Amino acid sequence: MKILCIDGGGIRGVFAIAILKAIEEEYQQKIGTLFDLIAGTSTGSIIASAVALEKEMDPLLAQYLKYGKQIFLREAKVGLFKSVYSDRHLRSLLKDSFGDTLLSDVEKHLLIPTVDLTRGKPYVHRSKGPNEMDEVSVKLWDAVLSSCSAPVYFPPNNIGNKYLSIDGGLWANNPSLVSLTDALHYHHQTLESTQILSIGTGKQNIDFSIDGEKYWGLRHWLPFELPSFKVTPKLIDLAMDISSESVSYHCNLLLGKNYLRINKELGEEMPFDDVEYMDKLIGFGQQTFAQYKQEITQFINR
């Protein structure tokens, strides 16, 4: 079983899309035709859903460039009394992209990690297989919106007035281990028969310099700029990076050559909500594909 996994990372998702777009151009076929199971978290869930529906990556990249600034238009400076961003533009984009398609309508195996906030536990939306919330007919866009709803930055998503759902990046920013578990448990694969191509959204150089301060507070973990009071999501970005790389470490130990992780050191901080970095990230994605081209070819042809 060939599996494609895409990390969360907000606007840095364009890095992953650029890689997938380059693969499509290299093989002259839609990326979705190359894989049996697709998994994506947060921004990766948008990309994974498009892949599962066998949409092309070029139009998806154009949508990110077009709607990125609308989605990350601040409603609050700090996020103390309401979320920093409204989800109305993101909701509109997802509805336009996926329409009335139900998650169960997706023919490919698709996994979207989220958090069931009401019950306080991790949750995976699946297009096939077990679904604990089978009393709710979940639309694809609704499941994706849940996985994108980062705490403080976006409000929780209300699923059919049954429960509140938030960003799956809190526990599975890299969905590789989730998809490996599904492959072994629900699809009766073995470690030898499971191959995972895992695509990150860039590894930031997040600066937490020693400054002599003994007691760290909000301004250290989520620093804000004066006089704009714009908050930088350092703590969230750090947590996502650490989560993703730890999962990669364990998957590599379990799968060996059957696990191919593609990511890149970005060399600086590129917050998940800073749209000014999109062009640079796309360039990094193109460079990274060229760097890993031989490994990708071997993986696909294996």
Side-chain angles (χ1 to χ4, degrees):
M1 173 177 270
K2 275 191 167 65
I3 300 173
L4 173 65
C5 296
I6 307 162
D7 282 21
I11 207 65
R12 294 197 303 271
V14 297
F15 171 82
I17 298 173
I19 293 172
L20 296 174
K21 180 175 178 288
I23 295 174
E24 285 190 336
E25 291 170 351
E26 178 71 19
Y27 285 90
Q28 290 296 297
Q29 62 187 108
K30 296 174 183 177
I31 195 75
T33 63
L34 300 172
F35 295 91
D36 306 302
L37 187 152
I38 300 106
T41 304
S42 195
T43 194
S45 71
I46 302 176
I47 303 166
S49 296
V51 171
L53 293 174
E54 297 192 0
K55 294 177 178 284
E56 294 182 347
M57 292 296 99
D58 192 44
L60 180 62
L61 184 58
Q63 284 186 308
Y64 266 69
L65 291 170
K66 180 179 179 181
Y67 292 106
K69 289 184 179 180
Q70 295 178 19
I71 291 169
F72 290 105
L73 180 66
R74 287 184 175 256
E75 298 281 323
K77 290 182 177 180
V78 180
L80 288 176
F81 301 105
K82 67 175 182 178
S83 58
V84 175
Y85 303 111
S86 165
D87 66 359
R88 65 181 182 275
H89 293 298
L90 178 58
R91 184 185 296 266
S92 177
L93 169 62
L94 296 177
K95 283 184 174 181
D96 288 345
S97 298
F98 303 126
D100 291 327
T101 301
L102 298 177
L103 187 64
S104 58
D105 293 334
V106 181
E107 293 184 5
K108 283 276 185 179
H109 294 287
L110 174 64
L111 305 181
I112 300 175
T114 64
V115 173
D116 177 354
L117 184 61
T118 301
R119 297 169 179 83
K121 63 180 183 179
Y123 183 72
V124 180
H125 287 287
R126 296 177 175 90
S127 61
K128 311 291 180 188
N131 185 347
E132 296 173 27
M133 305 295 179
D134 55 5
E135 76 279 11
V136 180
S137 186
V138 179
K139 291 186 177 180
L140 178 58
W141 69 261
D142 225 356
V144 172
L145 181 59
S146 294
S147 194
C148 292
S149 297
V152 178
Y153 287 85
F154 289 102
N157 187 31
N158 185 330
I159 299 286
N161 287 322
K162 298 290 184 179
Y163 64 101
L164 296 176
S165 188
I166 58 175
D167 193 348
L170 291 178
W171 68 281
N173 199 59
N174 175 350
S176 294
L177 206 51
V178 176
S179 56
L180 176 58
T181 302
D182 261 55
L184 299 178
H185 189 64
Y186 299 123
H187 301 288
H188 310 295
Q189 300 294 309
T190 64
L191 293 176
E192 292 75 22
S193 67
T194 304
Q195 301 174 58
I196 297 179
L197 174 60
S198 172
I199 301 182
T201 55
K203 293 186 286 184
Q204 296 187 82
N205 180 19
I206 302 175
D207 181 21
F208 282 106
S209 300
I210 297 174
D211 62 2
E213 183 73 44
K214 183 178 180 181
Y215 302 104
W216 279 31
L218 186 64
R219 70 183 182 88
H220 294 91
W221 294 111
L222 296 171
F224 50 87
E225 302 169 3
L226 294 172
S228 67
F229 281 94
K230 178 181 178 182
V231 176
T232 302
K234 271 193 175 185
L235 179 59
I236 297 176
D237 275 336
L238 177 67
M240 290 192 299
D241 280 3
I242 292 173
S243 171
S244 290
E245 295 313 310
S246 63
V247 166
S248 291
Y249 172 79
H250 288 102
C251 285
N252 192 51
L253 285 179
L254 290 169
L255 293 173
K257 67 179 182 180
N258 281 351
Y259 185 74
L260 176 57
R261 174 70 169 170
I262 299 178
N263 212 358
K264 179 180 175 61
E265 296 282 354
L266 300 178
E268 60 180 304
E269 291 183 7
M270 294 187 185
F272 70 78
D273 62 342
D274 197 331
V275 297
E276 301 302 321
Y277 287 105
M278 282 196 288
D279 288 339
K280 193 169 187 177
L281 286 161
I282 292 168
F284 280 154
Q286 293 165 344
Q287 294 170 21
T288 303
F289 169 75
Q291 178 185 346
Y292 284 90
K293 184 177 177 180
Q294 183 176 351
E295 290 95 327
I296 293 171
T297 298
Q298 291 173 349
F299 177 92
I300 291 174
N301 292 334
R302 190 177 301 147

